[in-house]
Amino acid sequence: MHIYIGKRLLVAIPTLLIVSIFVFSLQKLLPGDPILAMAGEERDPQVIEFLREKYRLNDPIVYQYGYWIANVLQGDFGISLRTNQPVLELIGEKLPVTIQLAVMSMIFAFIIGVPIGILAAVKKNTVPDYIANIVALSGLSIPNFWLGIMLILLVSVRLGWLPASGYESIFVDPVRSLETMIMPSFVLGNALAATLMRHTRSAMLGVMKADYIRTARAKGLSERVVILSHTFRNALLPIVTLSALLFGELLAGAVLTEQIFTIPGFGKLIVDAVFNRDYAVVQGVVLCTAIGFILMNLVADVLYVLLNPRMRANL
């Protein structure tokens, strides 16, 4: 297992290198000049030149990338051009928010998607199956921003049950934190639930055709035991691996959802950084997002091996 994980990590290194090159190069195409914004309204030529030298913007782009990646390898992601705050510090502030949103969204996705997927598989080609597929298609088709606005209008404005926006740290006020995160988590979880439902249904149908399922029924086991203990347990493999990948996507930041509900996570941070031409923040957030996604891919691969005895035998 250690050798397998080591090989996967070795594959991740060139992937991260390529991502870092793309991130550093493409952000140079952003319109505008952050130095002009930092220089103020008067834009003294001496100040502009000083800032360009300070941030090495007069150097060739290859040298700029070399300086940046060398600092990143030492844990220095640079300084925000707008707030003069270390990028790593900014990421440390926003990452717990995004992790909380991702975890709560996955909980909603599991609660909604997995039971409906099991029901659709057990009741294949019946009314519950058709309804489940309609629900799944609706979840995939309804835009997150529209659903978020409708929830704010109904739950917050009309009923007054939950706050419409804002965020409170779970370490400061756990109850308030959960209240502010329920709606955005449901919005994201609803879309993921549709994907989980379809994969759960497909995995369940594949396992239900296996010989050992017919044998379990022939032994006189109850249908509930057959479905939950035998079928669902063996159908978990693709569900778990898919969940790890979906969680990685959530860590990338749900830009529109965070903007609608004013949640200070990765999504909002990257949007603000792009609008402010804050190169260091854009580079740092995207690179950390890529690292998170690669780690979740690694987790998915490891879980696949742990849950599949045949894969373990081949290692």
Side-chain angles (χ1 to χ4, degrees):
M1 177 62 74
H2 293 88
I3 296 176
Y4 176 76
I5 295 175
K7 289 180 179 178
R8 300 301 299 175
L9 287 174
L10 287 176
V11 172
I13 292 174
T15 303
L16 283 175
L17 181 62
I18 293 173
V19 168
S20 68
I21 293 173
F22 271 102
V23 169
F24 189 87
S25 303
L26 293 178
Q27 57 88 25
K28 294 295 184 182
L29 299 177
L30 291 175
D33 189 340
I35 298 300
L36 295 180
M38 294 176 64
E41 295 182 359
E42 297 182 359
R43 296 181 178 177
D44 188 331
Q46 292 183 348
V47 173
I48 293 176
E49 186 61 27
F50 169 76
L51 291 174
R52 291 193 184 280
E53 289 293 334
K54 178 181 178 181
Y55 292 104
R56 301 181 184 274
L57 296 181
N58 287 332
D59 295 341
I61 188 171
V62 176
Y63 292 155
Q64 292 181 40
Y65 172 77
Y67 293 135
W68 175 68
I69 198 65
N71 290 331
V72 167
L73 293 175
Q74 300 175 49
D76 181 8
F77 283 72
I79 303 294
S80 169
L81 299 179
R82 298 290 295 179
T83 65
N84 205 34
Q85 187 177 0
V87 174
L88 200 58
E89 185 178 314
L90 280 173
I91 292 172
E93 292 175 359
K94 308 301 181 183
L95 185 58
V97 181
T98 299
I99 290 177
Q100 182 184 351
L101 179 61
V103 170
M104 292 183 64
S105 300
M106 289 304 301
I107 291 174
F108 275 112
F110 274 109
I111 292 174
I112 299 170
V114 174
I116 293 178
I118 295 174
L119 178 64
V122 174
K123 303 292 184 180
K124 180 184 177 183
N125 296 331
T126 63
V127 173
D129 185 23
Y130 298 141
I131 294 175
N133 278 282
I134 292 173
V135 171
L137 288 174
S138 300
L140 291 172
S141 304
I142 297 176
N144 287 346
F145 70 87
W146 182 86
L147 180 59
I149 293 172
M150 292 299 102
L151 282 178
I152 291 174
L153 179 63
L154 176 63
V155 178
S156 300
V157 178
R158 295 285 179 85
L159 301 176
W161 289 350
L162 295 170
S165 61
Y167 173 76
E168 186 68 58
S169 172
I170 195 170
F171 302 107
V172 176
D173 189 342
V175 175
R176 178 68 178 179
S177 179
L178 293 176
E179 288 177 348
T180 57
M181 295 292 268
I182 285 177
M183 284 198 295
S185 299
F186 176 80
V187 169
L188 293 173
N190 179 67
L192 298 181
T195 304
L196 273 178
M197 175 266 161
R198 296 178 69 86
H199 281 77
T200 301
R201 179 183 182 275
S202 176
M204 289 285 293
L205 290 175
V207 174
M208 289 171 69
K209 297 176 183 178
D211 293 336
Y212 58 84
I213 298 299
R214 287 194 293 269
T215 303
R217 288 195 173 102
K219 288 180 179 179
L221 296 177
S222 66
E223 190 65 14
R224 180 180 179 182
V225 173
V226 172
I227 295 300
L228 296 180
S229 299
H230 291 75
T231 308
F232 179 62
R233 184 176 180 180
N234 288 280
L236 268 177
L237 182 60
I239 299 172
V240 171
T241 51
L242 173 66
S243 300
L245 298 179
L246 292 177
F247 189 79
E249 291 182 9
L250 288 173
L251 290 180
V255 176
L256 289 177
T257 304
E258 290 186 3
Q259 288 290 107
I260 290 170
F261 291 97
T262 322
I263 297 174
F266 262 18
K268 193 172 188 306
L269 179 62
I270 191 69
V271 169
D272 293 342
V274 169
F275 276 113
N276 293 326
R277 310 324 187 241
D278 201 341
Y279 292 165
V281 175
V282 173
Q283 294 163 357
V285 172
V286 175
L287 188 61
C288 285
T289 298
I291 293 172
F293 199 86
I294 288 173
L295 287 177
M296 293 313 301
N297 271 273
L298 177 62
V299 170
D301 291 338
V302 172
L303 287 175
Y304 192 92
V305 173
L306 292 176
L307 293 173
N308 192 337
R310 289 174 295 182
M311 287 288 294
R312 291 200 302 271
N314 293 330
L315 290 180

